[in-house]
């Protein structure tokens, strides 16, 4: 097989007439590999699938991210453009990743602590503001990802449009965020088991959950996508079901027939701990939305991102409105923030129950609260599954640019970044702290780290989009040349960037002087600050040394590479044909396509 590939390469270089046009496709070598893998028995094929494929790399062979002490931004752009990872994700996969990819711990479990800290009004305001910010951010990301569906998209865009050192910091920030999320989600899953008072040790459940997540990811991107498709459907049905049930319960349709209405907004009240309580909810809200940007990361493994990504990006608006704002509004109506079972409340007797489960249990409905708890368990495992995918792909892209250990760039014959997957899975062993009395502290620290990390990622995406648009115009391009335009535009990116900065300021304040800080000791206040602001020093620790060592430049608009990474060579003609077709659509169809 390898001999045939070498003959093909040699003949192609010499321009031999014997090489027909039918084998000049880039998939020629892959077809030979697949045919070769079909030989032998099942166990032999499975074993061979884990071997390194020399023709597969996350970035182009021979391209490095840094040369000596001078970072080559142009080489880095090429390094992330031609990803050999399997491009097998379909439109339905992306849509479900966008809709249900981040519905997990932050919404079902973390919202309990947010409700206890800030009250129902603060919960609604904070999640709405973060939702607006994410709407602008994801549309900005979608525009760049459709234009440049490259590996390691977030760090690649920061490297290309901002500063290579900032791209390095954002790459590691994003990788660390997801590396931490895996044990966090497994811990959260074990917390949901505690709801039933299981006598079985949490360590047993951690083992089961880790095995399931690792097994799914070892099936490659197709296994991840199919699992997420199923998980997302379950989560979507559950949230919609809860919304319907919540409305019925609130208007007096529960077993006891009592009308609840807005009583919990009057007593104990809509706000708790005032403005500072509102600001304290921001990190929880940002953590809940973490994972929304996975759609952009998946662009490099999508069969046709120009067709699939716009639809997935537009789904974000509906997910924010329906799954977060509506469901949390109902949670605030049904559960008072003084409920002792909420995480962060005064009692530890049932501290791990979700506010969604509490709302059902308070209504006196039997069994249904346990069904909801099962859904929560599936949801947190779904986000844990996404964490292995997100961290492994980011580590592999960093490794190929020599910004991470080279071993992480190992791509096997099935198109899996195998070493990166194994490393991410190994960090899941941190979840065994769930078997210790310190599981609540571990949950708090992990939420703080991964939550604020998302703010840096989203802010960088917005700023990268602003710089990209400026460079696009300065280099003589028009917006008609872009396959997808952000509905929020550059103004939306400025708004998203400003909101990200405001969240960072608010979190600094609440971290420095948290609610009730006067009653705390100095060591407790220091701990509270790092719980709220842990990601900031980590980002600076990556950025400043890299900036000083490689002396990377801030990218100027005239120097930005706006060509590398675009897939369609005849994009302008394709867009003209599609827009002519769209102009003939009836108004209802155009409105539907604009919204969905």
């Amino acid at each position: 097989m390898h001999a045939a590939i070498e003959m093909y390469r040699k003949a192609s270089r010499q321009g031999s007439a014997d090489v027909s046009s039918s084998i000049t496709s880039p998939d020629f070598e892959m077809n030979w590999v697949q045919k070769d893998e079909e030989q032998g028995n099942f166990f032999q094929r499975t074993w061979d699938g884990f071997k390194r494929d020399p023709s597969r790399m996350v970035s182009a062979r021979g391209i490095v991210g840094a040369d000596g002490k001078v970072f080559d931004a142009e080489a880095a752009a090429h390094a992330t453009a031609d990803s050999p990872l399997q491009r097998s994700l379909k439109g339905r996969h992306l849509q479900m990743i966008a809709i249900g990819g981040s519905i997990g711990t932050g919404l079902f479990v973390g919202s309990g602590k947010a409700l206890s800290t800030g009250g129902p009004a603060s919960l609604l305001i904070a999640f709405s503001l973060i939702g607006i910010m994410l709407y602008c951010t994801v549309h900005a990301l979608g525009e760049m990802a459709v234009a440049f569906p490259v590996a390691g998209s977030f760090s690649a865009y920061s490297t290309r449009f901002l500063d290579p050192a900032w791209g390095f910091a954002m790459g590691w920030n994003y990788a660390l965020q997801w590396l931490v999320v895996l044990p966090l989600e497994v811990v959260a899953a074990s917390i949901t088991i505690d709801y039933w008072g299981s006598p079985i040790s949490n360590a047993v459940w951690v083992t089961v959950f880790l095995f399931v997540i690792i097994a799914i990811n070892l099936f490659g991107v197709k296994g991840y996508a199919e699992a997420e498709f199923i998980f997302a459907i379950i989560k979507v049905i559950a949230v919609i079901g809860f919304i319907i049930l919540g409305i019925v319960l609130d208007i007096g349709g529960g077993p006891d027939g009592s009308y609840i209405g807005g009583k919990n907004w009057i007593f104990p009240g809509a706000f708790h701990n005032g403005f500072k309580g509102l600001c304290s909810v921001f990190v929880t809200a940002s953590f809940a939305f973490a994972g929304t940007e996975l759609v952009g990361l998946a662009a490099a493994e999508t069969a046709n991102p120009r067709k699939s990504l716009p639809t997935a990006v537009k789904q974000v608006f509906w997910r924010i409105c329906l799954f977060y704002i509506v469901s949390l509004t109902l949670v605030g109506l049904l559960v008072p923030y003084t409920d002792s079972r909420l995480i962060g409340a005064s009692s530890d007797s049932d501290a791990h129950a979700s506010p969604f489960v509490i709302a059902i249990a308070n209504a006196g409905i039997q069994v249904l609260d346990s069904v909801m708890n099962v859904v929560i368990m599936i949801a947190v495992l779904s986000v844990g599954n996404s964490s292995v995918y997100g961290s492994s792909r980011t580590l592999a892209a960093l490794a190929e640019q020599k910004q991470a250990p080279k071993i992480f760039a190992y791509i096997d014959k099935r198109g899996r970044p195998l070493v990166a997957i194994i490393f991410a899975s190994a960090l899941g062993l941190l979840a065994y702290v769930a078997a210790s009395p310190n599981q609540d502290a571990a949950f708090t620290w992990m939420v703080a780290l991964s939550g604020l990390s998302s703010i840096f990622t989203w802010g960088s995406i917005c700023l990268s989009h602003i710089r990209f648009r400026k460079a696009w115009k300065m280099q003589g391009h028009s917006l008609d040349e872009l396959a997808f335009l952000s509905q929020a535009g550059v103004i939306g990116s400025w708004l998203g960037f400003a909101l990200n900065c405001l969240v960072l300021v608010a979190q600094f304040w609440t971290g420095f002087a948290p609610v009730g800080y006067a009653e705390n000791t100095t060591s407790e206040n220091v701990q509270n600050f790092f719980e709220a602001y842990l990601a900031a020093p980590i980002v600076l620790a990556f950025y400043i040394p890299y900036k000083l060592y490689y002396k990377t430049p801030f990218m100027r608009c005239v120097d930005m590479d706006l060509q590398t990474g675009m897939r369609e060579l005849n994009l302008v003609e394709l867009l003209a044909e599609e827009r002519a077709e769209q102009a003939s659509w009836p108004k209802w169809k155009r409105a539907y396509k604009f919204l969905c």
Side-chain angles (χ1 to χ4, degrees), residues 445-508:
W445 280 103
M446 291 176 186
V447 168
L449 176 61
S450 58
L452 203 59
S453 296
S454 297
I455 300 297
F456 285 101
T457 298
W458 298 333
S460 298
I461 290 171
C462 290
L463 192 56
S464 295
H465 180 247
I466 293 168
R467 296 288 295 161
F468 161 69
R469 278 288 192 95
K470 186 175 181 180
W472 190 259
K473 182 179 179 180
M474 185 175 291
Q475 295 188 22
H477 297 282
S478 69
L479 296 182
D480 291 335
E481 299 175 53
L482 294 174
F484 174 71
L485 293 176
S486 166
Q487 292 179 351
V490 177
I491 295 177
S493 293
W494 276 114
L495 176 61
F497 181 72
L499 288 174
N500 275 286
C501 293
L502 285 176
V503 171
L504 289 176
V505 171
Q507 275 308 120
F508 184 86

Side-chain angles (χ1 to χ4, degrees), residues 310-311 314 487 585 588-596:
T311 301
K314 292 173 186 176
Q487 292 179 351
W585 289 348
W588 68 266
K589 187 173 183 179
R590 277 182 282 177
Y592 172 78
K593 288 295 184 181
F594 177 80
L595 295 174
C596 300

Side-chain angles (χ1 to χ4, degrees), residues 49-68:
F50 287 100
K51 295 181 179 178
R52 184 166 195 163
D53 188 342
S55 66
R56 292 195 185 208
M57 302 173 68
V58 172
S59 57
R61 186 186 301 277
I63 301 297
V64 296
D67 184 10

Side-chain angles (χ1 to χ4, degrees), residues 130-468:
I130 299 295
I132 293 172
M133 179 177 74
L134 257 294
Y135 173 77
C136 299
T137 301
V138 174
H139 271 263
L141 173 62
E143 181 177 310
M144 293 187 292
V146 171
F148 308 102
V150 298
S153 63
F154 316 118
S155 59
Y157 299 145
S158 294
T159 296
R160 188 180 293 202
F161 304 128
L162 298 177
D163 177 4
W166 189 250
F168 168 77
M170 286 301 96
W172 273 104
N173 170 69
Y174 195 72
L176 288 176
Q177 170 191 342
W178 282 118
L179 288 171
V180 167
V181 163
L182 175 59
L184 169 63
E185 295 301 320
V186 177
V187 168
S190 69
I191 288 176
T192 63
I193 295 293
D194 287 344
Y195 179 76
W196 293 296
S198 172
I200 302 176
S201 170
N202 281 350
V204 176
W205 297 113
V206 165
T207 303
V208 173
F209 297 145
L210 275 178
F211 175 80
V212 171
I213 292 173
I214 294 171
I216 290 173
N217 278 272
L218 286 179
F219 279 100
V221 66
K222 205 64 182 298
Y224 158 75
E226 293 296 346
E228 280 304 301
F229 183 79
I230 297 172
F231 290 157
I233 289 177
I234 295 173
K235 290 185 288 185
V236 167
I237 293 174
V239 173
I240 293 175
F242 175 81
I243 290 173
I244 296 173
L245 176 64
I247 294 174
V248 172
L249 293 177
D250 192 61
I251 63 177
D256 58 0
S258 61
Y259 175 79
I260 299 175
K263 292 179 181 178
N264 289 325
W265 281 58
I266 299 173
F267 181 82
F271 292 94
H272 188 210
N273 297 316
F275 181 69
K276 186 170 289 186
L278 169 64
C279 294
S280 299
V281 177
F282 276 125
V283 156
T284 302
S286 62
F287 168 76
F289 282 107
T292 309
E293 70 289 336
L294 273 173
V295 176
L297 189 66
E301 297 182 79
T302 302
N304 190 350
R306 184 172 59 83
K307 292 283 189 179
S308 304
L309 272 177
T311 301
V313 166
K314 292 173 186 176
Q315 299 284 352
V316 171
F317 173 77
W318 302 109
R319 191 192 73 198
I320 292 171
C321 289
L322 182 62
F323 301 140
Y324 285 91
I325 306 306
V326 176
S327 62
L328 289 176
T329 298
L330 290 168
V331 164
L333 291 172
L334 298 172
V335 183
Y337 67 75
T338 54
D339 195 304
S340 60
R341 291 167 294 179
L342 293 170
I343 292 180
S346 57
S347 173
D348 292 328
S349 60
D350 196 10
H352 308 308
S354 158
F356 288 76
V357 176
I358 292 175
I360 298 173
N362 287 348
I365 302 176
Q366 301 295 324
V367 181
L368 197 56
D369 56 333
S370 293
V371 173
M372 193 65 191
N373 215 47
V374 172
V375 173
I376 293 172
M377 184 170 59
I378 293 174
V380 296
L381 290 177
S382 169
V383 179
N385 182 40
S386 297
S387 70
V388 177
Y389 174 81
S391 59
S392 62
R393 269 60 180 179
T394 304
L395 283 174
L398 288 170
E400 279 300 336
Q401 297 177 74
K402 293 192 174 180
Q403 293 178 333
K406 189 176 180 180
I407 189 63
F408 289 137
Y410 183 102
I411 308 294
D412 68 13
K413 293 184 177 182
R414 304 290 184 185
R416 299 168 295 197
L418 192 59
V419 175
I421 290 175
I422 292 173
F423 178 74
S425 302
L427 287 186
L429 298 176
L430 292 174
Y432 282 102
V433 299
S436 73
N438 298 321
Q439 63 177 356
D440 289 343
F443 184 84
T444 301
W445 280 103
M446 291 176 186
V447 168
L449 176 61
S450 58
L452 203 59
S453 296
S454 297
I455 300 297
F456 285 101
T457 298
W458 298 333
S460 298
I461 290 171
C462 290
L463 192 56
S464 295
H465 180 247
I466 293 168
R467 296 288 295 161
F468 161 69

